[in-house]
Amino acid sequence: MVKSSGRICLPRRSGKTYNLIQLLLFFSKASEESHLDAPDSAIEELGRSAEQIRQMDVATKCRLKRTLLFKDSLLKEKHRAFFDEHFMKHPLMFKDNRYLRKGLLVGVFEVPLAELGSGANNIMDFPMVPFKNVTGDGSIVSATYKHSGKGLDALTDSFWFNTKEVEGLLEKSAIRFPQIAEHRDEVMAVIKDWYNGYHFGRFRGKYNPWSVCAFVECLCNQLESSEHGEIRSVPDAIRPAARAHWVATGTTDLIEEQFTNHCDQAICLMESLIREYRETRLGGLDHDLALSNSQAVSLQLPKPNMNIIGSGKYSTEGMLTLCLFAGYLTHKHPDSVCIPNHEVYNVRCTLFTRTLLGTGFVERTDVNARGSLLVELWEGKTAILSSFIMEAFGTLTNHAKYKEKHYANIVATVLTAASCLGALLHPDQAYSHVSHAVTTRENHTGDGQCDHLMRLYSTDNKPNQFGVLIEFKLIPREKRDNIRHHEALAKKALDQIIENRYPACLSGCTERLDIGIAIGSNVLHILTQLHKLDAATRKWKPVQLLTKSAN
């Protein structure tokens, strides 16, 4: 498999160090005491008495502990000849030793290899990016092609978990907590949603091992803990266990620095990634179907190069490459990337909102409380929406060059950020972390194109039954101080919604809010009109307030 030397680049906590330590403990002739945590008493499992163990030297104890480590391994069971030939038989050495035949370099990011005098010009890359002829849909267990079980297939699949390994982990946990087996499909669905979705080599659908293990540990702890010592139900235990675990093991400082230095471009890129994830993974599609149909963000570089990041100039390819190697994106296809799962999606939402609106604004409970913006829209008010938009004006630049479509895009971005913060959640959605509303831009409806369309939760908590139509009008720079002109433009935008029959696109909606926005450089004027659908006539009627129906 490794003819000379090899290089593997994977995110942190991917099993790189663990796998190499296992190789070290298997092949090395040295005692490797620093990698063995088992107590001396464990050696008794090999038939040694306590007195015999006390008389052993350190090297002998370490060798017996390693024998115990591999005692019931599949390698020993299925490849006994290889095991006997190589177990603890080889000296492991480093570069500049003339007896070194092969080497393996692992890490998170690619490093330059062809520098003068580097001594690493002949290293072979193990392609953890997808092959162009990928046919596998998940792992050794679920791949549609015949897995060789050796070579590059075996090496690639040894990093991160496949479906069979996750199921095995749940089976072992169910020995102590049988209710996990009873709710196996539900638990697997949550794990798949939160921690699955990574694509390495031939395998799509790899699981983040750190997060999966942390989730299962947290789930078991939740099942044990309660105020009266009673075992909790699995559904109740899943909610607090399903959270970001892997992302808490490191920082996103390097990524945040790039976002801060290139704010406008980074916001646009992050919004594209978030919208793609919502439309394909949170839009009601089947998980695997969504992964196949998603319009992932293109990664143009044929060979990703981390040197782009240090140039001081913005590079979409460099930004995507940084996030890809750090584990915050995954390959959708060999030349495109996407957000892998809900754990990373939550991180993306946090970075996006803080970059666009600033940390201070994001932490304001008066505008970012659960459902705050949605409740305000039910009332036909726009104070919170105006706060979001004006805060974004303070972040984005080049207002003087903006046209109507640019400002319309800003509002769509702001609404995406508000959704990320949970401001568009229904107040009764107690267990949702973020709302998943996606604005549709320039929607063809009636006799023209409505600038923006959203379908949100109605007052009685029915999804997609509260329609929001938004039309924009640009305030010229010479009129930016003319308040009457601002109001007239907003009224014109509001009237256009009716005149062009934009509500025709709101099939299935029972409540509606029309919003006319006059917008310009750091100036904003908004008018609204609420409507309810008359059940008898099936016609829209203007109302002053949408009242919450009884559940």
Side-chain angles (χ1 to χ4, degrees), residues 500-517:
N500 289 358
R501 301 188 301 113
Y502 293 159
C505 67
L506 296 178
S507 176
C509 290
T510 59
E511 301 168 346
R512 179 181 118 222
L513 174 64
D514 298 344
I515 302 179
I517 298 181

Side-chain angles (χ1 to χ4, degrees), residues 26 42 45-46 64-80 83 87 172:
F26 181 83
E45 294 184 32
L46 297 175
L64 290 174
K65 289 178 183 178
R66 290 164 66 185
T67 301
L68 182 63
L69 181 64
F70 292 95
K71 176 174 175 286
D72 298 319
S73 65
L74 291 176
L75 181 62
K76 185 174 182 179
E77 176 185 340
K78 296 185 176 183
H79 306 281
R80 185 58 184 261
F83 188 94
F87 183 53
K172 291 185 177 181

Side-chain angles (χ1 to χ4, degrees), residues 23 26-27 75-76 78-90:
L23 291 174
F26 181 83
F27 287 106
L75 181 62
K76 185 174 182 179
K78 296 185 176 183
H79 306 281
R80 185 58 184 261
F82 178 90
F83 188 94
D84 293 339
E85 181 182 356
H86 296 287
F87 183 53
M88 295 191 293
K89 300 290 177 60
H90 300 278

